[in-house]
Amino acid sequence: MKFSVKRTEFLKVLKNVQIAVSSKSTIAILTGIKLEADNQGLTLTGSNSDISVESYLSVTDEGADLVIDEPGQIVLQPARLFANIVQKLPDTHFKVNVSQGQQTQITSASASFTINGIDAMSYPHLPDIDLEESFTLPVDLFKNMINQTVIAVSNHESRPILTGVNLSLKEGRLKAVATDSHRLSQRSIQLESAPDISFDIVIPGKSLTELTKLMDADEEVRVAISDNQILFALSTSQFYSRLLEGKYPDTDRLIPGDTPTEITLDTKELQGAVDRASLLSHEGKNNVVQLTVTADKLEIEGQSAEVGHVQEEIDFGHFQGQDLTISFNPDYLKEALATFGQGEIKLKLVSTLRPFVIVPSEDQGDFIQLITPIRTA
């Protein structure tokens, strides 16, 4: 294999596939990057068994200035070393030349590196997923959907199914749900060009977080699902993820239907007050902040027996219901509020020990954040 390419454009593609490479993989070859050149272009592949990313650089891309002199393939490891070498090369372009013994020479201006490659035939094959049975989603909408829900996935492996986001499609309505048993985030959207299919799957939260790093330059992402894998196809990259096995719990029953106390207020103002209260709650043993709601005031309170006490009143708009005091983990509320951006939200409360709900002030039921209170007595 022999090719030359513009360094900056190659690094963009290399960065994409690096998100799938683990430096601690039990399969040694997966710590490397697979390069495969043919007459049409150069394909880079990275994988860690859970996710795989394949990115493509075409010879027709004038910005890349890619020239394939000899087709071929090689695996270079560790990926981190290869990336560092390319990053620090002195010229705008560099060349890669692989000899029959898998030794790979990387040259740029007066600099020359020779590293030992691995036969690419030993690299695991990517899942075979048919894109004929696929549908498309707007990238901006789907990326926002991921960011709004992935915050609530569990970090504990005791219940593996909760480490993922439950993604389902029924009658053209796409719904994403995540919960770690202490909080829940749910977002649903009605697809304009709804595909005539339905599914109910669970995608690891870590996979979706990595996927969002690729979804910048494209307007649409094509999605295809097999028995235990999902493929997200973008213009120059393909992202594969395994699916989690098992049935996701019925989360609809967790969302209260009747919320007698409701209050409307500015998202950023509440977020700032909770953030300030958490400065003291983080110094305590329990990390608890208290919210008190009456018809006359809304008050946030945080304290630490070792450090001190903070109390702050917040302006609010519409109020209905009864006086209520509720205690909660401030980090959960801060992360939930961050998904709403600017504008107003509505707090919906039932009782001191029942989960409370945060929704946009113009509530259409499409986006819900739910937090379970903490018992303090």
Side-chain angles (χ1 to χ4, degrees), residues 116-128:
N116 297 323
I118 301 175
D119 186 355
M121 295 300 291
S122 303
Y123 198 85
H125 293 289
L126 295 183
D128 185 16

Side-chain angles (χ1 to χ4, degrees), residues 25-37:
S25 176
T26 55
I27 305 173
I29 200 170
L30 293 185
T31 64
I33 297 283
K34 178 184 174 184
L35 286 76
E36 184 174 4

Side-chain angles (χ1 to χ4, degrees), residues 252-280:
D252 289 339
R253 61 183 177 81
L254 302 175
I255 301 171
D258 183 30
T259 53
T261 300
E262 297 185 5
I263 187 164
T264 302
L265 64 165
D266 182 78
T267 305
K268 292 300 181 183
E269 189 170 348
L270 177 59
Q271 190 176 9
V274 174
D275 191 23
R276 287 185 287 274
S278 70
L279 293 175
L280 290 188

Side-chain angles (χ1 to χ4, degrees), residues 69-84:
D69 296 309
E70 292 180 16
Q73 55 183 355
I74 193 71
V75 176
L76 299 178
Q77 65 171 153
R80 172 187 49 79
L81 172 63
F82 176 53
N84 285 341

Side-chain angles (χ1 to χ4, degrees), residues 70-250:
E70 292 180 16
Q73 55 183 355
I74 193 71
V75 176
L76 299 178
Q77 65 171 153
R80 172 187 49 79
L81 172 63
F82 176 53
N84 285 341
I85 289 173
V86 177
Q87 181 75 47
K88 296 178 185 297
L89 291 173
D91 201 2
T92 58
H93 291 63
F94 72 99
K95 296 180 180 180
V96 173
N97 188 8
V98 181
S99 65
Q100 289 185 347
Q102 310 300 335
Q103 279 202 326
T104 302
Q105 187 179 40
I106 304 165
T107 57
S108 177
S110 59
S112 178
F113 290 83
T114 301
I115 58 178
N116 297 323
I118 301 175
D119 186 355
M121 295 300 291
S122 303
Y123 198 85
H125 293 289
L126 295 183
D128 185 16
I129 302 178
D130 188 2
L131 275 171
E132 292 297 322
E133 299 289 331
S134 63
F135 63 96
T136 59
L137 293 172
V139 160
D140 288 345
L141 191 61
F142 187 51
K143 186 175 182 179
N144 193 38
M145 193 178 202
I146 293 171
N147 290 333
Q148 288 175 325
T149 55
V150 76
I151 63 165
V153 300
S154 174
N155 295 319
H156 301 290
E157 295 294 336
S158 56
R159 294 187 66 186
I161 198 73
L162 297 187
T163 64
V165 174
N166 181 207
L167 191 69
S168 60
L169 178 64
K170 185 178 181 181
E171 298 178 351
R173 192 160 192 83
L174 186 69
K175 183 169 80 170
V177 183
T179 181
D180 61 4
S181 297
H182 303 291
R183 54 181 168 169
L184 176 145
S185 179
Q186 176 178 296
R187 174 72 195 276
S188 61
I189 53 176
Q190 185 67 42
L191 301 181
E192 292 183 3
S193 53
D196 188 23
I197 59 173
S198 62
F199 59 80
D200 191 332
I201 59 176
V202 184
I203 309 171
K206 291 180 180 178
S207 297
L208 291 173
T209 298
E210 298 299 340
L211 173 63
T212 60
K213 298 175 183 177
L214 296 180
M215 296 195 301
D216 286 328
D218 294 73
E219 294 184 356
E220 287 187 333
V221 56
R222 183 168 292 277
V223 184
I225 303 167
S226 69
D227 290 338
N228 61 357
Q229 292 277 337
I230 186 167
L231 166 61
F232 299 94
L234 298 158
S235 58
T236 59
S237 296
Q238 296 199 117
F239 183 101
Y240 300 80
S241 172
R242 70 179 178 92
L243 299 177
L244 295 178
E245 296 181 0
K247 184 173 178 58
Y248 204 80
D250 179 13

